[in-house]
Amino acid sequence: MSHPASRVLGMLELLQTHHHLTGADLGARLGVDERTVRRYATTLADLGIPVAAARGRYGGYRLSPGYKLPPLMLTDDEAAAVVLGLIAAEHLGLTTEAPATGPTLAKIRRVLPTNLAERLAGVQESLGFTIDRSATAARPATTTLLALGAAARATRRVTITYRSWQGAVSLREVDPYGLVFHAGRWYLTGFDHKRAEIRTFRLDRIAAVDTGEETFVVPEGFDAVGHVTRSLAGVPYTWEVEVLFEAEVGQVRRRVPATVAEITETGDGVLMRTRAQSLPGVAQMLAGFGWPFTIVSPVELREAVREHAERLIQHAAR
């Protein structure tokens, strides 16, 4: 770093990488004396970058939170991680209703070294995903996501304006336990004081968030992801289905997502509990697994399995 401007930017990169550095540490790394380090700190402050300096035995320099995000100094590996993360977030729907991934990618590409930019473009053009974001999945407001994240971190109760799937609007006091992103949608899980139970809410149906002063304690060992997936699997359907598989519980869980069914290991086998609108569809699913099974309920499923077996026999005889 022979040019002063390069050393100023080098000091910024060091302060971004390390929480705190003394003047002697910075001087040694930049190849300058401590007086020059103080001048560089003043230059960064003049540019609007909040550099905090402290004197004394434990003094030194650090970046303090400011009103503007300071320029980021990224290595090639860090820049690649940011670009790939933005591409994946946009594809999977891990963004809000006003996604900034496109403009952000454009800004980063403009300042990338040519060689790295070309290699990343090659990755993006040839990259495929096995999971796609639902085209109908609505995105939440950025303010909603950030407000709920902050409230969950601070364990502060919120009041949300919520619209149900039927369109009814209500005010709900909720202790936000956690946020979950699943299958292209954002969910909030927490204790709903109106219903006096832990509930799951879609973020895109939350119109407003008001964070209060009252705090709460998250139940010990609470699993936000597990609760959301179980609650989605428990959405009311026509049929309550229970089937025992003669298989390893790990095999069953790999084939049956938590959003589809609840899987429990028992002394008689692996029990699958799920709900369904169509018993013929359940029969097809059971046949496709290839494991021996026993139907616990409903009895109507037995007939659906027999009919599916007869169709398979007919197809085999063609």
Side-chain angles (χ1 to χ4, degrees):
M1 296 186 214
S2 59
H3 196 277
S6 299
R7 288 195 290 268
V8 171
L9 293 175
M11 179 171 168
L12 174 59
E13 182 177 4
L14 288 170
L15 293 175
Q16 288 175 333
T17 305
H18 304 276
H19 176 68
H20 177 275
L21 286 172
T22 65
D25 288 335
L26 286 167
R29 293 168 187 255
L30 297 171
V32 298
D33 56 29
E34 292 189 48
R35 182 178 180 181
T36 303
V37 169
R38 289 195 295 272
R39 190 166 67 250
Y40 290 169
T42 301
T43 300
L44 290 172
D46 290 342
L47 292 172
I49 298 170
V51 178
R55 297 180 179 274
R57 181 179 178 183
Y58 301 103
Y61 299 87
R62 64 181 178 85
L63 286 179
S64 57
Y67 293 105
K68 298 179 181 178
L69 183 68
L72 290 177
M73 306 291 291
L74 301 176
T75 65
D76 283 4
D77 287 343
E78 291 166 343
V82 171
V83 169
L84 293 175
L86 289 169
I87 293 171
E90 176 64 21
H91 184 87
L92 299 176
L94 193 63
T95 53
T96 53
E97 65 178 0
T101 48
T104 306
L105 279 169
K107 288 180 181 179
I108 294 176
R109 287 196 183 102
R110 282 197 294 267
V111 297
L112 286 176
T114 303
N115 186 39
L116 178 59
E118 290 178 351
R119 285 184 290 162
L120 284 172
V123 172
Q124 183 177 4
E125 291 171 6
S126 58
L127 181 62
F129 291 84
T130 58
I131 301 176
D132 287 321
R133 176 175 66 86
S134 170
T136 59
R139 307 191 195 205
T142 303
T143 52
T144 298
L145 179 64
L146 296 179
L148 290 173
R153 184 182 186 186
T155 62
R156 291 172 61 184
R157 185 173 301 171
V158 298
T159 300
I160 61 173
T161 304
Y162 191 70
R163 174 179 52 82
S164 72
W165 66 275
Q166 297 170 313
V169 177
S170 61
L171 287 177
R172 315 288 276 270
E173 282 195 342
V174 180
D175 296 342
Y177 291 168
L179 297 169
V180 175
F181 180 77
H182 172 70
R185 295 189 189 278
W186 285 94
Y187 296 90
L188 166 70
T189 181
F191 187 81
D192 180 1
H193 288 266
K194 182 176 182 179
R195 300 291 180 86
E197 62 181 353
I198 299 175
R199 299 295 295 264
T200 296
F201 303 92
R202 271 177 44 180
L203 260 67
D204 60 285
R205 291 179 178 166
I206 297 176
V209 179
D210 181 23
T211 304
E213 296 298 328
E214 191 166 355
T215 61
F216 61 89
V217 177
V218 180
E220 185 175 356
F222 180 75
D223 178 10
V225 173
H227 179 81
V228 169
T229 53
R230 286 192 300 271
S231 66
L232 293 178
V235 173
Y237 286 96
T238 303
W239 300 100
E240 300 273 346
V241 176
E242 291 190 4
V243 176
L244 273 171
F245 291 116
E246 297 175 27
E248 297 291 331
V249 66
Q251 288 180 307
V252 178
R253 284 179 173 152
R254 281 192 293 271
R255 296 283 300 277
V256 184
T259 50
V260 172
E262 180 182 348
I263 304 299
T264 309
E265 190 171 16
T266 71
D268 299 322
V270 178
L271 179 64
M272 178 185 77
R273 291 190 180 95
T274 187
R275 293 166 173 80
Q277 287 292 108
S278 166
L279 290 182
V282 176
Q284 293 176 31
M285 179 178 68
L286 294 175
F289 289 144
W291 306 311
F293 62 85
T294 300
I295 296 171
V296 179
S297 65
V299 294
E300 291 86 351
L301 179 57
R302 299 179 184 275
E303 182 60 29
V305 171
R306 290 191 190 96
E307 292 176 356
H308 183 65
E310 290 173 359
R311 284 194 295 273
L312 292 177
I313 292 172
Q314 292 172 5
H315 295 332
R318 289 182 178 178

